[in-house]
Amino acid sequence: MTVQRILKLGLTLAFVVGVVMFCLAKREQQPIKAEYDRLTAKFGEMPAIAPDRYQVLRLPTNEPWDLMWRFRRPENTGILIEDYIAFGGGSCSGSLYSNDNNRDASIVRFHIDFDRPQMRCFFKFDGGASTCGSGDKKTADAFREHWDELKIETVSSSHAVDFSPDEILELVRITAPAKFADGSSVRSGKDGLCLLVRVGAQAAFDQEKAAAEKQR
């Protein structure tokens, strides 16, 4: 087999793999886009207040463990969402990024499904989605029963919050007490941290990382 033929086969294979990956990614985005379109139809469009700043507004939901926000970002500016989940003792962390120039608004949603054998935490964004298994049924029942004892800090649902591309916004922080009111222990992360979601431009996160490295 000649070198030229090997190169042709390699290019063909790379093209096929690229097409398959594109189709898979597009298929994964379809349910997320459908949910965004449904919520947009329900709540209406989010008006632009400051075109050079991010805007975020919390949306109403039917369950306290179903949290949802709407974002509007500056034109031609991406958004990075960094999440840490530690309900049930184990932890998951990751980041999702979107730079869709065809859409300047996004829906972000965090939801806990308590009705599975293992409690599941779902994090959805038009830049992707992630799932974290967090504890057994006993742990799930404890969190559901004592949800009102958790400290939930997030943005307002009555007016939009805006911030610059140079800033990182702490979208939501949920912490648990050392013990629930009935004396049962809580399985969570360090210092009771159950959920932390931060959002901002990629450059803002890069700048934060560089500053942290300088301090070492």
Side-chain angles (χ1 to χ4, degrees), residues 105-124:
S106 303
I107 295 290
V108 178
R109 184 180 186 186
F110 174 77
H111 174 72
I112 299 180
D113 185 352
F114 289 106
D115 298 322
R116 296 192 177 201
Q118 184 187 40
M119 179 171 59
R120 307 290 290 180
C121 300
F122 298 89
F123 191 77
K124 296 182 179 180

Side-chain angles (χ1 to χ4, degrees), residues 179-201:
K179 289 185 177 297
F180 287 130
D182 61 1
S184 60
S185 60
V186 180
R187 298 179 61 194
S188 58
K190 184 180 178 182
D191 299 324
L193 185 62
C194 297
L195 176 68
L196 177 62
V197 179
R198 304 194 308 151
V199 299

Side-chain angles (χ1 to χ4, degrees), residues 48-55 72-75 77:
I49 300 174
D52 59 340
R53 296 175 68 84
Y54 289 99
Q55 296 170 234
R72 179 176 288 277
R73 57 186 175 83
E75 187 177 357
T77 304

Side-chain angles (χ1 to χ4, degrees), residues 32-215:
I32 299 174
K33 182 180 183 301
E35 182 174 27
Y36 173 83
D37 293 340
R38 179 181 65 80
L39 293 171
T40 299
K42 181 178 180 179
F43 296 109
E45 292 290 347
M46 185 176 182
I49 300 174
D52 59 340
R53 296 175 68 84
Y54 289 99
Q55 296 170 234
V56 57
L57 177 69
R58 184 178 176 186
L59 298 177
T61 57
N62 295 326
E63 301 287 353
W65 42 80
D66 188 7
L67 304 172
M68 192 158 49
W69 304 267
R70 165 172 283 172
F71 277 88
R72 179 176 288 277
R73 57 186 175 83
E75 187 177 357
N76 298 320
T77 304
I79 183 169
L80 178 68
I81 298 185
E82 181 184 84
D83 62 278
Y84 171 84
I85 303 170
F87 288 94
S91 65
C92 307
S93 61
S95 60
L96 301 171
Y97 181 75
S98 176
N99 191 26
D100 186 354
N101 292 325
N102 296 320
R103 178 185 299 167
D104 58 2
S106 303
I107 295 290
V108 178
R109 184 180 186 186
F110 174 77
H111 174 72
I112 299 180
D113 185 352
F114 289 106
D115 298 322
R116 296 192 177 201
Q118 184 187 40
M119 179 171 59
R120 307 290 290 180
C121 300
F122 298 89
F123 191 77
K124 296 182 179 180
F125 174 49
D126 60 70
S130 62
T131 304
C132 180
S134 298
D136 54 20
K137 186 178 186 303
K138 182 178 178 180
T139 302
D141 290 343
F143 272 105
R144 176 157 49 183
E145 182 180 351
H146 299 282
W147 187 266
D148 59 349
E149 296 177 40
L150 302 179
K151 183 179 180 182
I152 302 177
E153 302 169 87
T154 185
V155 298
S156 173
S157 59
S158 60
H159 62 276
V161 172
D162 64 277
F163 62 103
S164 77
D166 297 327
E167 299 175 280
I168 297 175
L169 175 72
E170 190 170 286
L171 180 63
V172 59
R173 176 188 288 266
I174 299 180
T175 52
K179 289 185 177 297
F180 287 130
D182 61 1
S184 60
S185 60
V186 180
R187 298 179 61 194
S188 58
K190 184 180 178 182
D191 299 324
L193 185 62
C194 297
L195 176 68
L196 177 62
V197 179
R198 304 194 308 151
V199 299
Q202 178 72 65
F205 281 93
D206 292 342
Q207 186 176 5
E208 180 187 67
K209 182 180 179 180
E213 291 177 349
K214 283 184 178 180
Q215 293 178 355

